[in-house]
Structure formats: structure tokens, C-alpha cells
């Protein structure tokens, strides 16, 4: 039986039907991605599924005992407390016990007389079997780089959303609903999230515009288009091809329909009255065709964004030579050098808080480095896309924000009415008159792009431009940037966007250094692993003098003895882990050898194949770890 079923779900806002008889079901073990244009109703459908919104019609059937958790795009306003407590609250009563235990530990650290309270809290956690959940909460907080003791109300909007993601992940639901989970996450957190979901979440229903995440996670794609759900049991790239074919076929069908309707209208106008009486069936068919055409819902048009190019800049755009910058004791970068030439498309990537925007401002001459120098080129016309959207006044209407109170904008020397210009960015007249603070995240991003593209520029600086944009708008933006003859500098965590757009990458690497690489995200991944291998092969500094006993023989320090014991314990556990993986490998191999398996259960076959493919790297990693441990233990022998 399906864990979740939707039957004839209907929802309308005013006279506009958003969901028009939607039906689907989700089986255990599926990872279903819901795709669709901005404004199609994806978030509304998710809210209906988890009971936060009531549909106008239809029903949601949930299998008995199934637990559902949801991460929404919006952060609830009524949540208070420390971050740990907010995340643990997602687990229910067990979470309350975990929070009480953590508070008791903190109290004992300050006052030992509170020990009885700690013992009571430990017993409560024992009774609820919550120690594994406690470890899960700690792991999720660590990986998402969240301060467990911070006050939730004092966090920024992006950090609050990260806390809500941690809460959804820690609750271990049977069905997890995620609405744009990668917004405000850096690349390291996104890749960790992918691995976590693949390993620990059995059934997933998610919305994302992160194409790399979609490709890796989704076992099935469903699309919400003009109020209806269509099911695509294939990977994302196959979906794109089939969808294009379907839209082409729909267009041809509508062309034939219009020709037929026109012929019938001519017949009605020219036919003799008596003949029309004898052809009442044909007349009824004509009325049905008219009704069918009237009810037809056309697919929203594509954005028609156009970049304005300024005059030609000098050949050199910016040159940094051995620049360093620190804020207090916090080092941002040291001895970094790079040259950005006219026509380059440069990506800047790194963890949140690493200093990407700060580096961007130094390269643009807005900040002065502590050491080194930055030389800017000549005739630079810079247009800047701010990730905080601070250039948009939230209290003005959308068209006023773009045209700054005027009715006309000038694009490539030609005047265009602001309403027509905003239609190119998919704003209807009603939405163009809406105040900025009432727009969705995707609409505000499109509005900022519309404002940006009214400025002639030969250097385009984009700080997180891809958040909340749907896949089709992203494709158009990528195409524009690749055709743009000026210079592009972009900060982004969207791996597919980086691969498709940039020609070089400036990365804040794990060792704290900032380096420049050729190519996009995948090229950076490949080159930095090579760099790490070369660093390991480089001559190592001389070891510290070993401790020696009076008789001249080597003596282990306390730390070395502790390391030896820990390594020995890990080594003793490795054979069992290897046996378990090999047993699972053999089990999956036998299942896949069954010639009827695929026909009986295509999704199960794909899942088994994916799991089997992932076991070999795990086995190799364990064997490599075995060799490393044995080599190190050989060094930790006391004479």
C-alpha cells in the first residue's frame, strides 16, 4: 500500500485554479521530485499533503502510522528558544527529554549540586531510548554549522531556515517533504545533505531548482503544469527530452484544432439555415470546441531577458597581487594573487562565512586589503547583483523599483514602457503593481535582474543570483551569460550553474587557502584532489625528536599510547564491517541476477543497482583505512 495518496485535489485562488484534480501516490522508498514553474502551486500542494492547508476538494490518504515532516520555504514566526531545543522539538516528547538533559548537563558544569537533576534527565532519556536521536541532533547541527546554544530569534533568515532543515532531518519521519532545501546552504552543506538523505531518509518528496541535487536524489519526477500532475518515471535529463517532445506535440495538436475550429466557424456563418437544422450534431460539436478552447490553459511564456552591454573595457579588469585581509584574528585570505581579463567568466565558491563577498569587494576596489595591491582596469562599467537585494525598496511597487518612478526604461538605446519590460520577466500587470515585500523569492530575484539589466555594463557581478529561480529561467540566464561579451564574476553554490557558465574558479579550499582553478565546479573538484595528492607527496618537515628512555630506547608519550589504543580498537572492528558489506554486496548481486526482477519492480531494481554501485567505494575505503591503521600502529611500537 502507498504511504501517501492524493485523489482529485482541487485548489483555486479567486477565479484562478491552481490545482485542478491532482492525483498521485508515493510508495515507500521512493524519492520523488516535484518540478514546475514558479507560481504553479508546488508549495501549496506540499502544505495540503502535510495538513497545513485545506484543499477546496479531494482527499489526502496517509497510511496508518506514517509520520510526515516538512521543511517549508517560509520560517514560522512563533518559534522561540535555543537552536538545540528547536531542532529537538521536531522529535516530539523524546526531544523534550533531550533538551532537558542538555540543560541539566550545562547546569552541573556550573553547579555540581545539580547532579540529581542530571541523573533524572538521564533516566528520562534512557526510558525514551533517545541516545541515538541525541547523537543525530548533534551530528545534524554540526554538519549544518549551527550553534546549538544560539537563540533562534536572534538568527538571520538564512540561518533560521537552516535550523528548520535540521529539525526536519532530525525527526526521522517516514515521509520527508522538502521545499527548496538547498537555499542558503553552501556547497559543502549541500553535498553533506545529499549523502544524508541517500543514507538515512527512506521516502522523500521534494521541490528543488538545484539540478545537481535533483539528478543525484530523484528516483522519479512528477511535474505540476497548469493545475495538473504528470508522472515521469525517468531521470532528469530524460525528462527534459521527453517534455520538449510533449510540448512540441501539444503545439502541433493545437494548431490542427485551430484550423478545424476556423473551418467550422466558416461553415456556420455561410451555411444555409435549413442545412444547419439538419446538422444539429455538427453544431453541438462546434459549441463543444468553443468551450474547449475557452477552458484551455496556456503554458506561461518564457522570460525574455536581455543584457545591455556597455562600452569595451580595457583588456585588464582587475589584478590582485599577494593580497591579504583579516578581521581581527580571523584570517579571510593570505597572499592571494589573480588576474581577471576582459571576457573572463569567474566563479567564486566556498563555505558560508568564508569571505566570498568580501573578496569580491576587494577585487572591485571597494575594500582595501591589509597587504598586497589591487589594480583595476580602465573604462569599467560595473552592474552589481546583491544577494541581499538591498537595492530593492520593499515599500515601493515592482515597476517603481525598476524604473525609479518613471514610466519608461531605456534598453539598448530604445525606450520601452516599464510594464511591457516587466512582462519580459514574467510579471503580469497585477504583479508589476504589487509591492516588493509581497513578492515571492523568485519574483524578487527576477525583479532585481530586471533592474540590473537596465544598466549598460561591461562587468557583471552576480552574488547568489540563482536562489528561487525556476529551471527554465536559470537556463535562459545561463545562455545570456555565455553569450555576454563582457566580464562576469559570480558567487554561487549552484554546481550545475557554475559548470555551465564559468571559465575559471576562485575557491576557498578546506585548508583555509584561496586558490584559482581552471574551469567550473567539477574541474575544481578534480584539480583540488590532485593538488591534495601533490601536497601529501611533498617532502615532509622533520619530525620532532622522539622521547627516549634512559637505556636509549624509544618511549611512547601519553598521547601516542592513547592514539595506539584507539587505532587498535578501530582495527578490531574493521573485519566485521567488511563482512557485513560483502554479505550485502552478495545479497544484492543475487537479487539483480533474477531476470524477472526489473519487470516486476523497476524502482526496486534501480534502487538495488544504486546501492550495489555504492558498496565498492565503501569496501575500498575500509581496506585503505586498514592499511593506514596498520602502518601507523607499526610506528607506535614501544621498544
Amino acid at each position: 500500500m502507498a504511504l501517501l495518496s492524493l485523489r482529485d485535489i482541487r485548489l483555486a485562488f479567486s477565479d484562478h485554479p491552481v490545482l485542478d484534480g491532482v492525483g498521485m501516490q508515493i510508495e515507500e522508498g521512493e524519492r520523488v521530485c516535484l518540478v514546475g514553474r514558479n507560481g504553479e502551486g508546488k508549495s501549496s500542494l506540499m502544505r495540503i499533503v502535510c495538513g497545513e492547508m485545506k484543499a477546496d476538494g479531494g482527499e489526502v490518504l496517509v497510511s496508518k502510522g506514517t509520520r510526515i515532516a516538512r521543511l517549508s520555504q517560509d520560517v514560522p514566526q512563533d518559534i522561540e528558544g535555543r537552536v538545540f531545543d528547536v531542532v529537538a522539538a521536531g522529535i516530539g516528547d523524546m526531544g523534550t527529554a533531550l533538551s532537558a538533559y542538555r540543560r541539566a548537563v550545562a547546569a552541573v558544569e556550573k553547579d555540581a549540586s545539580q547532579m540529581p537533576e542530571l541523573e533524572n534527565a538521564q533516566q528520562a532519556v534512557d526510558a525514551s531510548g533517545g541516545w541515538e536521536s541525541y547523537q543525530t541532533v548533534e551530528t545534524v547541527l554540526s554538519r549544518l554549522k549551527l550553534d546549538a546554544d544560539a537563540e533562534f530569534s536572534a538568527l538571520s533568515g538564512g540561518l533560521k531556515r537552516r535550523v528548520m532543515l535540521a529539525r526536519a532531518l532530525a525527526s526521522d519521519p517516514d515521509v520527508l517533504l522538502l521545499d527548496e532545501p538547498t537555499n542558503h546552504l553552501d556547497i559543502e552543506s549541500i553535498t553533506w545533505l545529499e549523502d544524508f538523505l541517500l543514507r538515512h531518509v527512506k521516502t522523500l518528496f521534494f521541490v528543488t531548482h538545484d539540478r545537481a541535487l535533483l539528478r543525484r536524489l530523484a528516483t522519479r519526477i512528477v511535474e505540476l503544469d497548469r493545475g495538473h500532475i504528470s508522472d515521469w518515471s525517468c531521470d532528469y535529463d530524460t525528462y527534459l527530452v521527453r517534455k520538449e517532445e510533449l510540448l512540441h506535440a501539444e503545439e502541433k495538436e493545437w494548431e490542427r484544432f485551430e484550423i478545424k475550429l476556423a473551418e467550422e466557424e466558416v461553415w456556420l456563418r455561410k451555411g444555409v439555415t435549413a442545412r444547419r437544422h439538419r446538422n444539429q450534431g455538427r453544431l453541438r460539436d462546434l459549441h463543444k470546441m468553443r468551450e474547449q478552447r475557452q477552458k484551455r490553459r496556456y503554458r506561461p511564456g518564457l522570460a525574455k531577458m536581455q543584457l545591455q552591454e556597455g562600452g569595451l573595457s580595457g583588456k585588464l579588469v582587475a589584478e590582485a597581487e599577494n593580497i591579504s585581509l583579516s578581521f581581527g584574528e580571523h584570517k579571510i585570505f593570505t597572499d592571494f594573487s589573480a588576474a581577471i581579463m576582459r571576457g573572463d567568466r569567474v566563479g567564486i565558491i566556498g563555505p558560508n562565512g568564508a569571505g566570498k563577498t568580501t573578496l569580491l569587494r576587494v577585487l572591485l576596489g571597494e575594500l582595501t586589503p591589509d597587504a598586497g595591491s589591487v589594480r583595476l582596469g580602465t573604462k569599467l562599467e560595473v552592474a552589481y547583483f546583491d544577494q541581499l537585494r538591498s537595492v530593492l525598496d520593499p515599500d515601493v511597487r515592482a515597476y517603481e523599483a525598476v524604473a525609479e518612478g518613471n514610466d519608461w526604461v531605456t534598453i539598448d538605446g530604445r525606450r520601452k514602457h516599464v510594464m511591457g519590460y516587466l512582462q519580459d520577466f514574467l510579471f503580469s500587470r497585477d504583479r508589476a503593481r504589487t509591492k516588493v515585500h509581497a513578492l515571492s523569492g523568485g519574483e524578487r530575484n527576477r525583479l532585481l535582474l530586471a533592474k540590473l539589466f537596465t544598466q549598460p555594463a561591461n562587468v557583471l557581478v552576480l552574488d547568489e543570483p540563482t536562489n528561487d529561480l525556476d529551471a527554465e529561467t536559470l537556463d535562459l540566464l545561463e545562455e545570456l551569460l555565455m553569450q555576454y561579451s563582457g566580464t562576469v564574476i559570480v558567487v554561487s553554490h549552484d554546481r550545475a550553474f557554475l559548470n555551465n557558465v564559468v571559465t575559471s574558479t576562485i575557491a576557498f579550499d578546506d585548508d583555509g587557502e584561496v586558490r584559482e582553478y581552471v574551469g567550473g565546479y567539477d574541474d575544481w573538484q578534480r584539480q583540488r584532489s590532485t593538488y591534495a595528492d601533490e601536497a601529501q607527496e611533498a617532502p615532509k618537515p622533520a619530525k620532532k625528536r622522539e622521547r627516549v628512555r634512559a637505556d636509549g630506547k624509544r618511549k611512547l608519550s601519553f598521547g601516542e599510547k592513547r592514539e595506539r589504543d584507539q587505532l587498535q580498537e578501530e582495527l578490531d572492528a574493521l573485519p566485521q564491517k567488511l563482512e557485513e558489506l560483502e554479505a550485502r554486496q552478495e545479497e544484492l548481486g543475487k537479487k539483480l541476477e533474477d531476470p524477472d526482477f526489473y519487470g516486476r519492480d523497476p524502482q526496486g531494481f534501480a534502487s538495488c543497482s544504486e546501492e550495489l554501485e555504492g558498496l565498492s567505494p565503501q569496501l575500498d575505503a575500509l581496506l585503505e583505512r586498514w592499511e593506514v591503521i596498520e602502518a601507523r600502529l607499526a610506528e607506535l611500537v614501544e621498544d
Side-chain angles (χ1 to χ4, degrees):
M1 177 182 176
L3 291 181
L4 186 65
S5 298
L6 308 180
R7 294 182 181 174
D8 198 28
I9 301 296
R10 299 181 180 275
L11 180 70
F13 297 132
S14 297
D15 295 329
H16 176 64
V18 178
L19 305 175
D20 192 7
V22 166
M24 63 172 291
Q25 63 182 28
I26 298 176
E27 304 283 349
E28 183 176 2
E30 287 189 311
R31 297 192 297 273
V32 182
C33 183
L34 176 63
V35 300
R37 300 283 290 274
N38 286 337
E40 286 287 349
K42 301 186 295 296
S43 296
S44 297
L45 180 60
M46 286 207 153
R47 292 178 64 191
I48 290 171
V49 168
C50 66
E52 293 180 11
M53 175 186 282
K54 187 172 178 59
D56 297 334
E59 57 182 345
V60 178
L61 303 177
V62 180
S63 180
K64 187 176 180 181
T66 299
R67 292 173 295 126
I68 297 176
R70 172 177 176 261
L71 170 72
S72 66
Q73 286 198 49
D74 302 317
V75 177
Q77 301 298 315
D78 57 348
I79 294 180
E80 297 180 349
R82 295 180 185 273
V83 167
F84 184 95
D85 299 334
V86 172
V87 174
I91 309 176
D93 294 338
M94 184 190 296
T96 304
L98 297 182
S99 294
Y101 167 75
R102 198 170 189 279
R103 285 193 298 270
V105 170
V108 167
E109 290 176 353
K110 295 178 180 179
D111 183 1
S113 66
Q114 301 294 319
M115 184 59 72
E117 299 239 353
L118 176 57
E119 292 174 351
N120 290 336
Q122 285 176 326
Q123 291 174 3
V125 177
D126 284 333
S128 63
W131 294 113
E132 185 176 347
S133 296
Y134 185 85
Q135 185 61 41
T136 299
V137 172
E138 292 278 7
T139 301
V140 169
L141 289 174
S142 172
R143 285 299 190 172
L144 292 178
K145 300 174 184 175
L146 294 168
D147 181 357
D149 295 317
E151 282 293 332
F152 182 80
S153 59
L155 299 178
S156 66
L159 283 176
K160 284 181 178 178
R161 182 169 162 76
R162 242 191 285 175
V163 173
M164 300 311 296
L165 173 59
R167 178 171 172 163
L169 295 176
S171 64
D172 191 26
D174 298 302
V175 182
L176 179 60
L177 310 182
L178 298 177
D179 196 351
E180 294 294 351
T182 60
N183 279 358
H184 307 292
L185 295 184
D186 55 33
I187 289 177
E188 182 183 353
S189 298
I190 292 171
T191 53
W192 173 83
L193 176 64
E194 288 177 350
D195 292 335
F196 184 93
L197 294 173
L198 286 170
R199 294 177 183 176
H200 301 290
V201 178
K202 294 180 180 178
T203 308
L204 184 64
F205 185 37
F206 66 106
V207 172
T208 186
H209 296 141
D210 186 324
R211 292 156 293 178
L213 181 91
L214 195 163
R215 285 184 171 96
R216 189 173 179 202
L217 287 185
T219 59
R220 176 176 150 219
I221 293 172
V222 294
E223 182 185 25
L224 186 56
D225 181 18
R226 290 165 283 179
H228 297 282
I229 280 280
S230 53
D231 198 321
W232 307 80
S233 296
C234 60
D235 60 78
Y236 181 64
D237 294 307
T238 304
Y239 153 77
L240 292 176
V241 174
R242 293 179 180 175
K243 179 64 178 178
E244 187 65 30
E245 293 172 350
L246 179 68
L247 290 176
H248 180 70
E250 180 184 71
E251 185 179 343
K252 292 298 182 184
E253 182 182 349
W254 284 0
E255 287 178 2
R256 290 192 293 269
F257 179 90
E258 292 296 331
I259 293 173
K260 175 67 174 175
L261 179 61
E263 291 173 349
E264 294 303 291
E265 294 286 1
V266 170
W267 166 80
L268 180 64
R269 288 193 300 270
K270 293 185 177 180
V272 182
T273 302
R275 185 172 181 179
R276 285 207 307 271
H277 283 303
R278 289 195 299 270
N279 287 275
Q280 289 301 307
R282 186 173 178 180
L283 189 59
R284 283 193 296 271
D285 290 342
L286 174 58
H287 289 317
K288 288 179 181 177
M289 291 178 71
R290 287 173 174 174
E291 291 175 6
Q292 184 179 345
R293 187 173 188 270
Q294 188 175 8
K295 292 178 181 179
R296 180 188 298 168
R297 292 181 62 178
Y298 291 92
R299 183 173 171 82
L302 290 172
K304 301 175 183 177
M305 299 183 291
Q306 180 180 354
L307 284 169
Q308 284 203 81
E309 299 199 14
L312 202 63
S313 70
K315 186 175 181 181
L316 174 72
V317 173
E319 182 179 34
E321 187 172 351
N322 301 119
I323 59 173
S324 301
L325 184 67
S326 299
F327 292 145
E329 296 182 356
H330 178 54
K331 181 187 75 172
I332 306 298
F333 46 81
T334 303
D335 292 331
F336 174 67
S337 298
I340 300 175
M341 311 302 290
R342 182 179 65 221
D344 284 352
R345 298 194 298 274
V346 182
I348 302 179
I349 59 180
N352 286 333
K356 299 185 296 298
T357 302
T358 301
L359 174 60
L360 194 59
R361 294 181 63 196
V362 171
L363 292 175
L364 293 174
E366 296 178 5
L367 280 178
T368 303
D370 298 334
S373 61
V374 174
R375 182 163 64 100
L376 296 178
T378 58
K379 300 181 181 179
L380 299 183
E381 299 176 64
V382 180
Y384 189 90
F385 181 100
D386 176 13
Q387 65 164 317
L388 300 178
R389 304 168 185 138
S390 57
V391 297
L392 296 177
D393 185 343
D395 296 321
V396 304
R397 301 183 188 281
Y399 74 89
E400 295 171 330
V402 169
E404 298 180 351
N406 299 313
D407 291 332
W408 300 84
V409 293
T410 302
I411 307 296
D412 280 342
R414 293 174 298 190
R415 295 177 74 228
K416 189 169 186 177
H417 196 277
V418 64
M419 288 298 188
Y421 177 63
L422 282 177
Q423 285 180 357
D424 291 343
F425 289 80
L426 305 183
F427 284 91
S428 65
R429 289 190 171 270
D430 288 340
R431 297 309 285 172
R433 293 189 178 96
T434 303
K435 290 194 173 181
V436 171
H437 68 77
L439 298 175
S440 69
E443 287 174 323
R444 285 197 294 272
N445 254 21
R446 277 189 274 120
L447 185 67
L448 188 53
L449 288 172
K451 183 177 178 65
L452 184 74
F453 293 167
T454 61
Q455 308 172 36
N458 51 35
V459 179
L460 197 59
V461 181
L462 306 173
D463 195 352
E464 295 291 356
T466 63
N467 283 348
D468 303 309
L469 295 181
D470 60 42
E472 289 172 322
T473 307
L474 273 175
D475 288 340
L476 177 59
L477 179 59
E478 288 175 358
E479 186 177 343
L480 279 175
L481 294 178
M482 287 187 283
Q483 294 173 353
Y484 182 56
S485 62
T487 305
V488 178
I489 306 174
V490 57
V491 176
S492 180
H493 299 307
D494 188 319
R495 294 160 291 175
F497 183 79
L498 290 167
N499 280 334
N500 293 338
V501 170
V502 305
T503 55
S504 65
T505 300
I506 297 174
F508 287 74
D509 284 335
D510 295 338
D511 57 4
E513 296 298 323
V514 180
R515 300 184 179 91
E516 186 173 15
Y517 299 87
V518 176
Y521 171 79
D522 289 341
D523 300 301
W524 165 63
Q525 287 284 75
R526 183 170 55 254
Q527 291 173 69
R528 75 166 179 168
S529 62
T530 304
Y531 181 90
D533 292 341
E534 291 174 353
Q536 288 179 358
E537 294 171 2
K540 297 181 180 178
K543 293 183 179 179
K544 293 181 179 179
R545 189 164 55 91
E546 295 173 340
R547 299 180 62 182
V548 179
R549 296 198 306 235
D551 58 5
K553 294 185 177 180
R554 184 171 184 265
K555 180 182 180 181
L556 295 180
S557 67
F558 174 79
E560 288 175 322
K561 289 180 180 178
R562 184 179 179 186
E563 181 187 1
R564 178 193 62 191
D565 295 341
Q566 290 175 339
L567 288 174
Q568 187 61 55
E569 183 179 349
E570 184 180 354
L571 182 62
D572 293 340
L574 281 178
Q576 183 178 352
K577 292 181 179 179
L578 284 167
E579 287 179 8
E580 291 173 355
L581 286 177
E582 288 171 347
R584 180 59 177 162
Q585 194 176 41
E586 185 177 354
E587 178 187 351
L588 290 171
K590 288 181 179 178
K591 289 180 70 174
L592 293 171
E593 287 174 1
D594 181 358
D596 300 324
F597 185 17
Y598 181 81
R600 185 174 63 250
D601 184 7
Q603 295 295 335
F605 185 91
S607 179
C608 286
S609 299
E610 184 179 344
E611 183 182 354
L612 181 61
E613 185 178 348
L615 288 179
S616 293
Q618 294 180 47
L619 283 166
D620 292 341
L622 285 179
L623 291 171
E624 288 176 9
R625 181 60 180 163
W626 192 324
E627 293 177 1
V628 170
I629 292 174
E630 286 187 331
R632 181 56 179 156
L633 285 175
E635 297 175 358
L636 295 175
V637 175
E638 191 171 36
D639 295 331

